[in-house]
Amino acid sequence: MQNVILKCDNLHKSFRKKEILKGVSLNVSSGDILGFIGPNGAGKTTTIKLILGLQKIGSGSVTINGFDIKKNFEKAISKVGAIIENPDLYMYLSGYDNLKLIANLYSNVDKPRIDEVVKLVGLENRINDKVGKYSLGMRQRLGVAQAILHKPNLLILDEPTNGLDPEGIRDLRNLLVKLAKEENMGILISSHNLAELESFCNKVCIIKNGVIVETSDIEEVKKETSDGNYIIEVDDSKRARIIIGDMSTAQDSTHILVHSDKENIPFIIKKLVLQDIKIYSIKEDVVSLEDAFFKKTGGNVID
């Protein structure tokens, strides 16, 4: 059973009389990977800084593992790992020595735990090399290793894929899925790479102008913004288009796009079959997370 690890309730924050956050509320449960998305300046990084106690909360509350961040900061933050953009690493030291330095900050991190984390992030073969020789993706994995050394159950990442090549992004994605699944960790990740988030996040929280406009499962958000289109592969799209009528558009010689409620699709199929149209496949034309984002926010616009 999932339990709520992070609970933000009605967060407000202002800078120089300008209200940045206007009642932000969100939850992260164990095993969840929540994609936190919004236009530039929408309030993502400010929210994360309030969660981590890096900025003072105007009003509202942040509770982590049942502890209020303002009233009991040390206990609230004790099981949290975080990377804000690029991790801080000593480039002239080996990856292992970097981890030992972090391990010294905690009483519960011993050599077996360091070795366990090294294996978890897939750096066994390079952990004794100097970090200066690491690729950006390897440094990011080492940063995650630092963040999870003390066995946190909440991991917070702000723009972790910045500057990563496709291989680095893939490695980070696989690692986060592994942490959520095998370690039952709750993960909050802020990123502008919506296509990448769509591939591994199970939930999404959309913020615009300091207000949460949507929090839901990714598939539900995409379904909500779907236009009810279906793509049917046939042997003759021109004939099929004539048979179906104005609700359809021929995409190419073998595919038609049909705008219809799901309940009407069987009748459309029957109509085509009775007219000797061969049907090879049918699938819903599901919108991408990027499409859903633009529909929910109106684009990268800050009021």
Side-chain angles (χ1 to χ4, degrees):
M1 183 178 178
Q2 287 187 317
N3 62 294
V4 176
I5 299 172
L6 168 66
K7 183 177 178 63
C8 299
D9 186 30
N10 199 28
L11 288 178
H12 288 260
K13 179 67 177 178
S14 297
F15 293 104
R16 297 188 181 93
K17 297 184 180 180
K18 179 177 174 60
E19 193 172 23
I20 305 299
L21 301 184
K22 308 167 186 176
V24 168
S25 297
L26 61 87
N27 294 339
V28 177
S29 297
S30 56
D32 275 345
I33 305 180
L34 176 69
F36 191 32
I37 64 177
N40 289 324
K44 301 185 298 298
T45 298
T46 298
T47 301
I48 287 174
K49 287 181 177 179
L50 296 191
I51 292 170
L52 296 174
L54 299 176
Q55 289 181 356
K56 187 177 179 181
I57 297 171
S59 64
S61 64
V62 172
T63 305
I64 305 174
N65 292 309
F67 298 105
D68 188 292
I69 198 79
K70 290 189 290 187
K71 298 176 182 177
N72 206 331
F73 177 77
E74 286 191 11
K75 286 189 175 180
I77 211 72
S78 64
K79 298 192 74 176
V80 178
I83 302 177
I84 308 300
E85 294 190 347
N86 297 319
D88 291 325
L89 302 168
Y90 292 99
M91 307 299 282
Y92 59 90
L93 295 178
S94 69
Y96 197 87
D97 285 339
N98 270 271
L99 292 180
K100 284 201 299 183
L101 284 175
I102 299 298
N104 291 334
L105 302 175
Y106 302 101
S107 59
N108 65 333
V109 179
D110 52 15
K111 186 180 185 301
R113 174 58 183 170
I114 297 176
D115 294 337
E116 179 185 7
V117 168
V118 169
K119 185 176 181 180
L120 193 62
V121 301
L123 284 175
E124 307 102 299
N125 295 330
R126 298 291 302 276
I127 196 62
N128 291 312
D129 292 351
K130 288 186 178 182
V131 174
K133 296 180 180 179
Y134 282 12
S135 68
L136 192 56
M138 291 170 62
R139 291 175 202 167
Q140 202 72 332
R141 279 190 278 158
L142 183 63
V144 172
Q146 287 183 332
I148 65 174
L149 267 180
H150 60 299
K151 296 185 178 181
N153 62 356
L154 174 65
L155 181 62
I156 297 175
L157 306 172
D158 188 22
E159 298 293 346
T161 61
N162 274 359
L164 293 185
D165 59 20
E167 184 179 5
I169 292 174
R170 181 202 62 194
D171 290 345
L172 182 64
R173 175 187 67 215
N174 293 341
L175 173 58
L176 296 181
V177 170
K178 187 176 183 180
L179 291 174
K181 185 176 180 180
E182 297 181 10
E183 305 283 313
N184 207 27
M185 193 177 293
I187 300 173
L188 173 66
I189 176 170
S190 165
S191 176
H192 287 102
N193 194 336
L194 302 190
E196 190 55 44
L197 289 183
E198 184 177 358
S199 70
F200 67 91
C201 292
N202 65 316
K203 293 186 178 179
V204 65
C205 180
I206 303 174
I207 185 171
K208 181 183 180 183
N209 297 320
V211 177
I212 302 296
V213 297
E214 179 75 43
T215 302
S216 185
D217 290 346
I218 279 189
E219 293 306 317
E220 284 300 314
V221 172
K222 290 161 61 178
K223 190 174 181 180
E224 280 179 18
T225 53
S226 175
D227 293 324
N229 291 326
Y230 294 82
I231 298 174
I232 305 177
E233 184 182 6
V234 295
D235 62 338
D236 188 338
S237 64
K238 287 185 179 180
R239 278 192 62 221
R241 163 78 177 81
I242 293 170
I243 294 166
I244 297 173
D246 292 339
M247 69 173 63
S248 65
T249 305
Q251 292 189 308
D252 53 40
S253 61
T254 58
H255 292 86
I256 55 172
L257 182 68
V258 179
H259 182 69
S260 172
D261 293 333
K262 186 177 182 179
E263 292 74 19
N264 292 330
I265 294 299
F267 300 103
I268 293 172
I269 297 299
K270 183 178 181 181
K271 195 173 183 179
L272 292 172
V273 171
L274 289 174
Q275 294 294 324
D276 293 325
I277 295 291
K278 293 179 181 178
I279 299 171
Y280 300 111
S281 67
I282 179 170
K283 64 179 180 179
E284 187 176 5
D285 186 25
V286 180
V287 300
S288 67
L289 178 59
E290 185 176 64
D291 292 332
F293 169 76
F294 284 123
K295 287 184 179 182
K296 289 284 184 180
T297 65
N300 197 28
V301 178
I302 301 299
D303 294 342

